[in-house]
Amino acid sequence: MSDDDAEPAETRRLPTLEKQAGGSPRSAAGATATGAAGDGRTGRFWSSRRVPAALVAAVLLAAAGLLLYDVAAVRAHRSAMAWRKWLARELATRHLDDTWVLAGAALAAAVGLWLIVLAVTPGLRRMLPMRPVAPGVRAGLDRPAAALILRDRAMEVAGVQSVRMTVGRHKAKARAVSHFRELDEVRADLDAALGAGLDQLGLAHRMRLTVHVRRPKKG
């Protein structure tokens, strides 16, 4: 019995590497997935907002519990708490144009607006959505990780001494220092290398690339 016959049915072979026209290897399976889903669009990841939801729930629970306890105490023929007496007196005597009333209303409106913004915006700005490669599967890439990958690609360019890479939601910016070669040549090579690096990241949305190259400071 040969080795191929002894291979389990559920075992898959690793994807082979094939040469592109430019001579760089790529995965055959990865090329198929990219070609099939290259035009797919996917939205940002939505944050679960656990911290704001926990804070709001804790504040509402504490306020409701304290108020319920005070109401039950009054129903049991006990005196109301001092804070509720003070609050009732202030609400009865202060006018709507009072400074403290306006400040409280502004604070309540700001908190409400903040909660509405959290409810209608996705959040997770650090996570870049990637192209879908299979139905029902979503992938994302952390922006610092993407910047680190692109920085490694930029450091492979001849003449580059150091690179500071910044990756935003729609734009990638490279600030490189070159200690030899012409700056225009280094900039052109960086454009090509980083452009290819952005394509290989598999992001769902095409990023704009900006490259700045300068000489190291003297002294």
Side-chain angles (χ1 to χ4, degrees), residues 3-15:
D3 293 339
D4 293 339
D5 295 334
E7 184 181 15
E10 65 274 10
T11 302
R12 295 183 179 180
R13 294 184 180 275
L14 293 175

Side-chain angles (χ1 to χ4, degrees), residues 26 30 35 54 68 72 92 105 118 134 147 207:
R26 66 170 181 172
L68 181 61
L118 291 180
M207 276 194 175

Side-chain angles (χ1 to χ4, degrees), residues 87-154:
L87 182 60
R89 184 172 59 254
E90 291 295 323
L91 292 177
T93 56
R94 289 187 181 272
H95 298 285
L96 294 179
D97 58 352
D98 185 82
T99 303
W100 288 105
V101 175
L102 295 177
L107 178 60
V111 172
L113 181 62
W114 174 62
L115 294 176
I116 291 175
V117 170
L118 291 180
V120 300
T121 54
L124 292 181
R125 301 173 63 90
R126 289 169 55 92
M127 190 66 64
L128 300 173
M130 302 178 70
R131 288 191 296 265
V133 296
V137 177
R138 294 192 64 193
L141 181 62
D142 195 52
R143 281 162 52 181
L148 182 60
I149 294 173
L150 294 176
R151 177 187 175 279
D152 291 342
R153 291 293 300 267

Side-chain angles (χ1 to χ4, degrees), residues 19-37:
K19 288 285 186 177
Q20 291 180 339
S24 59
R26 66 170 181 172
S27 169
T32 304
T34 302

